[in-house]
Amino acid sequence: MTKSDSELDPLWQNLDWAIGQMLIMGWDGTEVTPQIRNLIENHHLGSIILTAKNLKSAEQTASLVQELQTIAHQAGHPQPLLIAVDQENGGVNSLFDEDYICQFPSAMGVAATGSTEMAYNVAKATATEVSAVGVNLILGPVLDVLTNARHQPLGVRATGDDPQEASQFCIAAINGFKDAGVATCGKHFPSYGNIDFLGSSLDMPIITQTLEELNLSALIPFRNAISAGRLDAMFVGGVGIQSAGMNVMHACLSDQVVDDLLRNELGFKGVAISECLEMQSLIQEYGVKGGTVMAVEAGNDLVLLCRAHDVQLEAISGLKLGVENGIISKERIYTSLKRVLRLKSVCTSWQKALNPPGLALLSKIHPTHLALSRKAYDHSITVVRDKDNLLPLSQSLLQEEELLLLTPLVKPLPASAATKSMLDKGSKASSMHERWIHQERGAIMSGEGVFRELGRSIARIRNGKLLHTSYTANGLRPVHENLINRASAIIIVTADANRNMYQTGFTKHVAMMCHMLRGTGQKKSLIVVSVSSPYDFAMDKSIGTYVCTFDFTETAMASLVRVLYGDINPQGSMPGTMRKSKKVSKTRQQWLVESYDRDRDGSALEELLRTMARSSTPSLPYLTTGAHSFELYNPHVEEAHFVVRNSSTKTLYGFVATYYTKGLGAIGALFVDPAKRNVSIGRSLHRRAMRALLQKQGIKTVQLGITFPGVFPGVPVDESGSNKSWFDNVGWDTQFPKRLTNMVIEDLGAWTAPEGLLQSIQRASISFDLIHGLDNAESVLNHAATHAGPEVVELYRFALQETNISGVVRAKDSVGNLLGTVIICTAASRLSTYMPPLHSTSGEDIGGILAPIVPSTAQSRLILQGLAFMGVRQNKAHKSAKSVLSWVLDEAHETLVAMGFEVQQTFDEITNSPESWSDLN
């Protein structure tokens, strides 16, 4: 709940204080300057962004942040400063300290491991480290989808080109950040994944996709991350949008983007942060004063101004002028203020801000994090192809044979011991592209400089000579030809060759030269290693051995050497659609499916459910489901569950639950570890489940989803339709589903009945009563059997047996005919075991209103509202904090929205005839 204006600290009635909380600013330098002190003390600046130019070491960072917070505390700030950093890992880190801060792979590198568990662990470790030095807001994760993967400067900072996979890894990262106590900020809304640069420093990168196209791909991770409920802030980019229906010069200055798209359509309720307003295109177009006012008008809560003090003062002046001119209302200021204060309340406090644990904690966790770093990099290195079995080199290259390493010119990375000294000396101005992707890092240095340690490591591990030189845009020179003639094996390193075309030309030239020399009988093995974007030669089969590392930090290069020489087996895979296409192209694997054994598999199923929860949105029920949720122990229901498991490690890779009662066979759950998808585990489980159901005597219907247990009443409805399409592909006819909607009243204490509802019920002569126990239940069970499935009958039977904590409300007409029924249960009911929406993770009591059965008549709408009203009244009487209604059919949920219910989850129950599966009998 947000505070009303009257509940806010009286200090905020001073607009100067309130405006200060709407700005996030930085500066250049590793010490507190008079300018940044002035902003905090006299202009009440509430948020700071720190970059690599501010941070020398972990110890210095902790001291700097503590000093900033102390200044704010002494200046009377009611809440601590937000301290934000870019700490994306890979090549984009603000803080580096080889003694205390660990290097982890980029977002795409983590995705290459195929493990959302790894994504969670890396994110939690990263956030724990930056939190130790006082940072409370990470500007991440990157939610962009590379819809034009091969030519985008965002590169390995994004997860990849598949929106569903990006969603899973980003949600896992968000959960890791949050579980370490740090606030999160998704970026770069609405997308930096497919932008066109037009050239000059005044030109904006442009999105040319329509809103419909964005909805189909780019916006999916943003939508899913928002739905997951743990995203605190959203970074709104400065891109232009030029497409049908939207013509926007700067996304972060447009209410169409921030208020309409982000807030109203995607439902984001957190803090919106603008792109830095110090960009030349904006200054030339509107000026900083005008731009700052436009950013707030558009719906941003924090306006970013990175470093120029005069520009920052101009922005503050502009906001004050906007209020004076009546362009920005006080209400608008306080709306943003409350969002910012709410964010601060969940990620910081004065006790925490003034006492960062610093080196004491970092020293303690460093060994564990180093092991995680090495494991993450080792698992990320990807051998895309090794056609001629050149790897490992220890087996294909003799010690006396010469090895040549050819490396390009690259920009140094800040998270690098080799380049740290260069960064301390300052850097040249960055290019347009680099400004847009937040990589203002250092000057060009030679390939030998960046990759010198790589060469030394290769020489050490082979215990022999290594030839190493760089190549440039000047192409293949005589020195290269001489070295290639000498060497028996050549390793060429590329870094974003698709955007540095000289690397592509050089590599192709060397590949052709090696091919010709092999034709004369000479040994010329060629290995190409991409150390940034994996798309350089992913599709070029003429490069027979192709390896990807996803960044060129020292840690990544150390793992590369271990792969090249066989110390570790490469486990990584190309993320996104290329991983899927590679897996699909393989012969479909049949996995060994075993019957579920509670004693053997119970703990492993709990762990699999936790893994699923970390990589899924809260609209899916994994967080509140346990292994016991699938086992009914009901004499009227036959159940059989199956698993794919690793018999050595006892790990479960996938699980399927099946139920059979009175002619109905149902799959009640089917899920696979996200790290093990697209290798036919789901298909194997599905096939075994269907075979088990089709062998039942008297089976009349097969069904996806079951309402008792109600973990999955049907196939979860998702934006992309991917869930339903998977079942299409394994043989289900999904054309005519029955839509089941779970609904909720979140604040039952504040709920009141719609005006006129009781009078309408009385005029219709509808009466209600509540029954418990099976003695009076015959009419109710007959009603359920007539108008619902046999599993619903068992749900009613279970509820009636729970005397005093569950019961059934009956709706009757004036002569006693049964018009409708609904189950009511308290928080103490065992039904919460089988119905995840009834299970609370925060300890609050949740009342249940379950399985309303109302035959279609002219009064159906009113009867349903009456049953729901009686349920809510019972829940309130039992002091429940909220009411969950699970489930209503098809369009009936619209009737209940008018009563104050909100949609919580939506499922499609799908039924088919057993004859459709005759090939499995």
Side-chain angles (χ1 to χ4, degrees):
M1 297 287 290
T2 58
K3 292 182 178 180
S4 65
D5 291 356
S6 60
E7 293 178 272
L8 289 171
D9 190 303
L11 183 77
W12 302 121
Q13 297 304 316
N14 181 331
L15 274 180
D16 286 357
W17 274 94
I19 284 171
Q21 295 300 305
M22 295 179 65
L23 298 162
I24 176 167
M25 295 177 173
W27 81 102
D28 288 344
T30 56
E31 297 178 350
V32 173
T33 61
Q35 290 82 3
I36 197 70
R37 179 184 289 273
N38 171 52
L39 289 169
I40 297 170
E41 290 179 338
N42 300 320
H43 297 284
H44 321 300
L45 175 66
S47 300
I48 301 285
I49 182 169
L50 298 176
T51 70
K53 294 184 178 181
N54 303 117
L55 311 177
K56 293 192 297 186
S57 67
E59 184 175 22
Q60 175 264 343
T61 301
S63 175
L64 177 66
V65 172
Q66 192 172 31
E67 184 179 358
L68 291 168
Q69 295 287 19
T70 301
I71 291 168
H73 191 247
Q74 292 175 350
H77 285 234
Q79 284 186 276
L81 302 171
L82 279 180
I83 306 290
V85 296
D86 275 311
Q87 195 79 359
E88 295 176 18
N89 292 316
V92 182
N93 286 331
S94 296
L95 175 59
F96 170 69
D97 186 326
E98 58 188 327
D99 295 324
Y100 296 105
I101 303 295
C102 285
Q103 175 66 49
F104 293 104
S106 63
M108 194 178 289
V110 171
T113 69
S115 169
T116 52
E117 185 84 6
M118 181 69 78
Y120 172 84
N121 290 334
V122 165
K124 187 174 182 181
T126 301
T128 302
E129 290 179 352
V130 298
S131 175
V133 297
V135 171
N136 48 43
L137 172 62
I138 281 189
L139 298 177
V142 171
L143 296 169
D144 305 280
V145 178
L146 295 177
T147 48
N148 183 5
R150 288 159 184 77
H151 302 287
Q152 289 304 306
L154 205 59
V156 296
R157 294 175 62 201
T159 299
D161 62 352
D162 179 73
Q164 294 302 332
E165 184 171 280
S167 298
Q168 292 167 5
F169 278 90
C170 290
I171 289 169
I174 290 169
N175 289 334
F177 291 150
K178 291 291 287 179
D179 288 352
V182 174
T184 59
C185 175
K187 58 187 183 184
H188 310 79
F189 189 80
S191 177
Y192 278 8
N194 185 12
I195 49 180
D196 293 324
F197 285 90
L198 304 180
S200 80
S201 63
L202 298 184
D203 282 331
M204 296 293 297
I206 300 294
I207 296 173
T208 56
Q209 293 170 293
T210 65
L211 194 53
E212 290 74 17
E213 290 169 331
L214 289 171
N215 267 312
L216 288 172
S217 180
L219 291 179
I220 289 174
F222 292 95
R223 193 184 302 274
N224 287 340
I226 291 167
S227 297
R230 301 192 80 186
L231 190 64
D232 300 295
M234 187 73 80
F235 185 92
V236 185
V239 291
I241 304 175
Q242 292 180 3
S243 64
M246 192 176 286
N247 190 359
V248 169
M249 277 294 292
H250 303 270
C252 62
L253 305 187
S254 168
D255 59 355
Q256 284 182 277
V257 174
V258 186
D259 271 346
D260 294 348
L261 183 56
L262 178 59
R263 294 209 186 279
N264 296 336
E265 187 170 328
L266 269 63
F268 183 63
K269 294 181 172 62
V271 172
I273 305 177
S274 80
E275 172 64 276
C276 180
L277 299 194
E278 294 180 21
M279 47 195 170
Q280 281 300 307
S281 57
L282 187 142
I283 290 172
Q284 294 295 323
E285 185 81 21
Y286 305 112
V288 172
K289 284 185 180 179
T292 306
V293 170
M294 290 177 69
V296 172
E297 274 195 292
N300 291 288
D301 304 300
L302 280 175
V303 180
L304 174 61
L305 295 122
C306 296
R307 58 174 61 89
H309 187 59
D310 57 338
V311 174
Q312 292 167 341
L313 294 177
E314 193 179 344
I316 294 169
S317 172
L319 272 185
K320 292 179 180 178
L321 200 57
V323 175
E324 289 174 18
N325 288 349
I327 300 172
I328 302 173
S329 67
K330 290 185 179 179
E331 289 74 21
R332 175 69 194 84
I333 297 288
Y334 287 118
T335 295
S336 286
L337 174 65
K338 284 183 276 190
R339 287 188 188 127
V340 172
L341 295 181
R342 183 174 58 200
L343 170 56
K344 288 186 175 187
S345 71
V346 300
C347 71
T348 190
S349 65
W350 280 122
Q351 172 63 28
K352 185 177 177 181
L354 295 174
N355 302 281
L359 300 190
L361 175 60
L362 290 173
S363 300
K364 183 178 177 182
I365 61 179
H366 195 60
T368 307
H369 285 193
L370 269 180
L372 176 64
S373 167
R374 175 165 175 161
K375 181 180 179 182
Y377 272 107
D378 284 353
H379 287 197
S380 72
I381 306 297
T382 299
V383 176
V384 180
R385 285 183 303 278
D386 186 20
K387 226 167 18 180
D388 298 320
N389 297 316
L390 302 182
L391 299 178
L393 283 170
S394 53
Q395 295 180 15
S396 66
L397 187 69
L398 299 176
Q399 187 174 351
E400 61 269 19
E401 292 178 316
E402 291 192 291
L403 174 63
L404 171 62
L405 175 65
L406 296 168
T407 54
L409 298 181
V410 294
K411 292 188 186 306
L413 300 175
S416 160
T419 60
K420 187 66 178 171
S421 61
M422 293 186 59
L423 289 170
D424 292 340
K425 295 174 185 175
S427 66
K428 298 178 183 177
S430 61
S431 72
M432 176 65 182
H433 282 247
E434 288 141 15
R435 274 206 301 279
W436 279 102
I437 59 172
H438 295 187
Q439 284 184 321
E440 301 178 88
R441 315 289 195 217
I444 291 288
M445 63 187 285
S446 72
E448 289 98 328
V450 171
F451 295 109
R452 184 177 292 125
E453 184 54 35
L454 170 63
R456 289 172 177 164
S457 297
I458 293 173
R460 278 195 299 270
I461 200 167
R462 77 181 302 249
N463 196 24
K465 189 173 182 181
L466 175 81
L467 308 170
H468 179 194
T469 189
S470 63
Y471 64 95
T472 69
N474 292 325
L476 198 68
R477 312 304 293 169
V479 64
H480 300 126
E481 293 181 4
N482 292 336
L483 292 171
I484 290 167
N485 279 315
R486 282 177 55 182
S488 297
I490 298 99
I491 299 172
I492 301 181
V493 171
T494 65
D496 287 313
N498 281 310
R499 293 194 298 117
N500 299 289
M501 294 304 293
Y502 78 90
Q503 297 180 19
T504 303
F506 181 86
T507 303
K508 292 275 202 180
H509 197 158
V510 173
M512 184 176 65
M513 186 176 172
C514 288
H515 179 73
M516 292 172 61
L517 291 171
R518 280 195 297 269
T520 67
Q522 297 184 53
K523 181 178 179 180
K524 296 294 169 193
S525 304
L526 177 64
I527 298 167
V528 176
V529 178
S530 164
V531 296
S532 188
S533 167
Y535 301 104
D536 288 358
F537 293 97
M539 306 302 290
D540 189 343
K541 302 293 178 63
S542 69
I543 304 298
T545 300
Y546 183 51
V547 184
C548 299
T549 68
F550 306 97
D551 70 58
F552 50 91
T553 56
E554 283 90 340
T555 322
M557 295 300 94
S559 290
L560 169 65
V561 172
R562 288 194 288 274
V563 166
L564 291 176
Y565 273 85
D567 282 4
I568 55 173
N569 289 319
Q571 300 181 38
S573 58
M574 286 288 286
T577 56
M578 292 195 68
R579 170 155 51 209
K580 288 183 177 179
S581 63
K582 186 172 182 181
K583 288 175 177 175
V584 168
S585 68
K586 296 178 181 176
T587 305
R588 291 215 182 274
Q589 184 175 350
Q590 287 295 314
W591 291 79
L592 186 65
V593 179
E594 302 177 55
S595 293
Y596 172 75
D597 182 304
R598 185 186 314 112
D599 295 332
R600 181 193 67 195
D601 301 323
S603 296
L605 180 54
E606 293 282 0
E607 183 56 38
L608 177 58
L609 286 164
R610 284 193 289 271
T611 299
M612 299 298 296
R614 282 194 286 267
S615 61
S616 305
T617 67
S619 63
L620 295 176
Y622 300 113
L623 188 62
T624 51
T625 300
H628 49 281
S629 301
F630 301 101
E631 297 188 277
L632 287 176
Y633 307 108
N634 185 314
H636 303 283
V637 180
E638 297 178 47
E639 50 187 311
H641 313 316
F642 304 97
V643 295
V644 169
R645 58 190 289 269
N646 184 320
S647 59
S648 300
T649 65
K650 317 302 182 191
T651 305
L652 292 194
Y653 293 160
F655 174 83
V656 64
T658 71
Y659 306 88
Y660 176 77
T661 179
K662 295 185 179 178
L664 172 70
I667 293 179
L670 196 166
F671 47 89
V672 174
D673 185 333
K676 296 293 182 181
R677 288 180 184 163
N678 302 304
V679 291
S680 295
I681 292 174
R683 283 178 175 267
S684 298
L685 285 165
H686 175 264
R687 184 178 179 85
R688 180 68 184 87
M690 292 301 294
R691 287 175 68 89
L693 292 173
L694 293 168
Q695 289 168 4
K696 299 295 182 185
Q697 291 295 319
I699 188 163
K700 298 171 184 175
T701 305
V702 287
Q703 181 173 293
L704 287 176
I706 192 168
T707 50
F708 186 54
V711 180
F712 287 101
V715 178
V717 176
D718 62 328
E719 290 285 335
S720 66
S722 61
N723 290 330
K724 200 185 287 187
S725 67
W726 188 90
F727 285 102
D728 277 330
N729 292 334
V730 295
W732 286 82
D733 181 352
T734 65
Q735 288 186 79
F736 304 106
K738 184 164 68 175
R739 180 64 55 92
L740 303 178
T741 302
N742 289 344
M743 308 190 75
V744 64
I745 296 174
E746 291 285 357
D747 185 0
L748 201 53
W751 183 87
T752 56
E755 192 174 340
L757 176 60
L758 287 175
Q759 293 88 330
S760 298
I761 291 171
Q762 290 167 355
R763 282 196 300 272
S765 300
I766 302 171
S767 62
F768 300 91
D769 66 358
L770 175 65
I771 66 167
H772 303 277
L774 291 173
D775 294 342
N776 304 312
E778 186 177 353
S779 65
V780 169
L781 295 177
N782 287 338
H783 176 76
T786 303
H787 300 289
E791 78 277 25
V792 181
V793 175
E794 296 310 318
L795 174 59
Y796 269 76
R797 195 191 310 275
F798 185 98
L800 286 163
Q801 289 172 325
E802 284 197 318
T803 309
N804 298 328
I805 54 176
S806 295
V808 173
V809 172
R810 301 184 296 189
K812 299 179 180 179
D813 63 15
S814 56
V815 295
N817 293 318
L818 196 57
L819 301 176
T821 57
V822 72
I823 297 168
I824 308 297
C825 66
T826 70
S829 170
R830 285 202 305 123
L831 282 169
S832 64
T833 300
Y834 304 112
M835 316 290 282
L838 301 181
H839 187 81
S840 172
T841 56
S842 56
E844 62 186 354
D845 283 355
I846 300 175
I849 307 169
L850 309 177
I853 305 174
V854 182
S856 181
T857 66
Q859 289 186 314
S860 298
R861 177 188 175 100
L862 186 60
I863 295 166
L864 178 60
Q865 287 184 321
L867 289 168
F869 171 74
M870 296 301 293
V872 172
R873 197 160 74 173
Q874 286 290 320
N875 290 165
K876 288 189 79 166
H878 286 96
K879 310 299 183 189
S880 297
K882 64 181 180 181
S883 277
V884 166
L885 198 161
S886 176
W887 31 259
V888 288
L889 289 174
D890 297 322
E891 303 304 319
H893 73 276
E894 295 175 1
T895 299
L896 298 176
V897 168
M899 291 182 62
F901 283 91
E902 299 174 8
V903 173
Q904 188 181 44
Q905 300 156 312
T906 310
F907 302 89
D908 279 343
E909 180 187 276
I910 295 162
T911 56
N912 280 192
S913 166
E915 282 73 33
S916 306
W917 304 90
S918 56
D919 59 318
L920 291 181
N921 280 318

